DNA sequence: TACGCGTGGTA
DNA sequence: TTACCAAGCGT
């Protein structure tokens, strides 16, 4: 066996024994919810998982599948309902974009998720990662799914670096494609297997190299696990940022069953200028709908 | 390209 | 406690 074939064999075997049983991973042949469109379910899970951990996504995903089992069902709902049911997953513009994607799928694709990477990526909120993930996991398309877990695992394994570059590089995409198994079915499993290895073993902070099936082949381990030396990603600020204020404003509106007066929003943040600017940006983003007489609500 | 965009768990 | 981290996207 070649070196790459050894990686394939060991990581696929590890995945078979260690994969988490997540609902959106259930194969079509065993899909337990006949009314729930599986490609749609995969797409929703992938958008929810953008920057949000599995544990927080799972209950919201189940709720969404109960409410909106097809793109047409979500398209028929108010965008504000999508924002409300998004709950506290964070980055609520994703909910709005999912609603817009459902509308586009219903209008332009007869309600069926397109089995084509370019058409997927043309949908709102679907970038290169999510298009590849939906293509691979919903339709079995052979394409490299390159998220931060994959980038980190492959960086350590092949390049010997502790961390991947701050943002996706052409070299990382090339490497991921080179490592992708030829066989379509193996490729789909490989994508999710490397992602799972990165999430459970080859972790960012405290990698569990002792549990790694390819430790003996890992360039980073063989180099003595050297500390990162290149530029690190810029740390995110939180306290006092517009993001914090927008989050507080939106929480009031999510929790309200009727339009709320401006006074109810004024109490969440002391700085009037920043508060007004953030409310205006939420309106601009389509996350908040202003009504006459200084009332506000999630968009209908 | 670098930055803005939520939220909460963990060390 | 503060800082880091989590299946990115759009501009």
């Amino acid at each position: 066996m070649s070196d790459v074939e050894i990686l394939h064999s060991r990581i696929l075997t590890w995945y078979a024994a260690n994969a988490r049983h997540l609902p959106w991973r259930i194969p079509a042949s065993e899909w337990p919810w006949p009314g729930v469109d599986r490609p749609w379910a995969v797409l929703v899970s992938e958008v929810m998982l953008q920057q949000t951990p599995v544990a927080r996504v799972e209950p919201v995903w189940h709720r969404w599948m109960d409410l909106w089992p097809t793109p047409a069902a979500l398209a028929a709902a108010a965008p504000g309902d999508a924002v409300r049911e998004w709950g506290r997953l964070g980055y609520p513009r994703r909910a709005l974009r999912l609603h817009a994607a459902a509308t586009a799928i219903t209008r332009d694709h007869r309600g069926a998720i397109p089995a084509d990477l370019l058409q997927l990526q043309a949908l709102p909120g679907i970038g290169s990662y999510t298009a590849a993930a939906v293509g691979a996991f919903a339709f079995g398309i052979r394409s490299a799914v390159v998220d931060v877990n994959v980038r980190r695992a492959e960086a350590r394994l092949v390049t010997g670096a502790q961390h991947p570059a701050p943002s996706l590089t052409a070299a990382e995409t090339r490497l991921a494609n080179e490592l992708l198994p030829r066989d379509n079915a193996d490729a789909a499993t490989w994508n999710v297997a490397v992602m799972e290895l990165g999430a459970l073993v080859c972790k960012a902070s405290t990698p569990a190299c002792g549990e790694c099936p390819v430790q003996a082949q890992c360039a980073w381990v063989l180099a003595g696990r050297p500390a990162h030396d290149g530029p690190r990603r810029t740390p995110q600020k939180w306290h006092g940022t517009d993001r914090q204020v927008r989050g507080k404003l939106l929480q009031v509106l999510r929790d309200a069953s009727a339009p709320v007066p401006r006074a109810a929003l004024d109490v969440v943040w002391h700085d009037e200028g920043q508060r007004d600017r953030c409310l205006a940006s939420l309106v601009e983003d389509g996350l908040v709908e202003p009504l006459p007489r200084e009332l506000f609500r999630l968009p209908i």
Side-chain angles (χ1 to χ4, degrees), chain A residues 135-178:
Chain A
F137 304 146
F139 300 114
I141 294 172
R142 183 180 176 280
S143 66
V145 180
V146 190
D147 77 333
V148 72
N149 290 304
V150 171
R151 295 172 55 216
R152 185 176 55 250
E154 294 184 351
R156 289 175 180 167
L157 203 51
V158 178
T159 316
Q162 184 185 21
H163 295 295
S167 57
L168 181 64
T169 64
E172 289 175 318
T173 301
R174 196 179 325 117
L175 174 60
N177 277 292
E178 286 168 4

Side-chain angles (χ1 to χ4, degrees), chain A residues 16-236:
Chain A
N18 294 280
R20 291 170 292 181
H21 295 284
L22 303 174
W24 45 84
R25 287 182 180 167
I26 298 173
S29 59
E30 299 167 23
W31 190 246
W33 305 288
V36 177
D37 182 75
R38 183 172 170 275
W40 170 243
V42 171
L43 190 157
V44 171
S45 78
E46 290 300 338
V47 174
M48 288 182 171
L49 288 163
Q50 293 168 0
Q51 304 283 280
T52 302
V54 166
R56 280 199 284 148
V57 163
E58 208 166 343
V60 179
W61 180 87
H62 280 292
R63 170 79 175 152
W64 273 54
M65 292 303 104
D66 284 344
L67 288 171
W68 305 306
T70 64
L74 179 59
D81 288 344
V83 174
R84 179 173 283 106
E85 294 297 338
W86 194 253
R88 304 187 66 79
L89 290 183
Y91 294 146
R93 293 189 292 192
R94 291 182 290 166
L96 224 43
R97 289 177 180 146
L98 266 177
H99 185 273
T103 302
I105 291 161
T106 304
R107 185 189 58 226
D108 302 335
H109 300 282
R110 299 171 177 245
I113 313 296
D116 175 275
L117 297 184
L118 289 178
Q119 291 183 46
L120 284 167
Q121 200 169 338
L123 296 169
I126 309 296
S128 62
Y129 161 77
T130 306
V134 173
F137 304 146
F139 300 114
I141 294 172
R142 183 180 176 280
S143 66
V145 180
V146 190
D147 77 333
V148 72
N149 290 304
V150 171
R151 295 172 55 216
R152 185 176 55 250
E154 294 184 351
R156 289 175 180 167
L157 203 51
V158 178
T159 316
Q162 184 185 21
H163 295 295
S167 57
L168 181 64
T169 64
E172 289 175 318
T173 301
R174 196 179 325 117
L175 174 60
N177 277 292
E178 286 168 4
L179 293 176
L180 196 63
R182 293 285 166 231
D183 178 74
N184 270 22
D186 280 353
T189 307
W190 169 257
N191 280 319
V192 69
V194 178
M195 205 181 301
E196 192 78 334
L197 187 68
L200 300 183
V201 175
C202 196
K203 296 177 286 187
S205 298
T206 53
C209 297
E211 301 170 26
C212 180
V214 288
Q215 190 188 182
Q217 285 77 35
C218 179
W220 184 56
V221 167
L222 292 172
R225 296 175 53 163
H228 180 76
D229 60 351
R232 206 68 189 90
R233 86 170 109 165
T234 56
Q236 275 194 348

Side-chain angles (χ1 to χ4, degrees), chain A residues 237-259:
Chain A
K237 299 264 186 229
W238 172 246
H239 289 287
T241 61
D242 285 2
R243 267 187 310 152
Q244 185 183 16
V245 179
R246 285 165 56 106
K248 285 178 177 292
L249 292 170
L250 210 52
Q251 186 178 357
V252 172
L253 295 170
R254 271 199 313 264
D255 294 345
S257 54

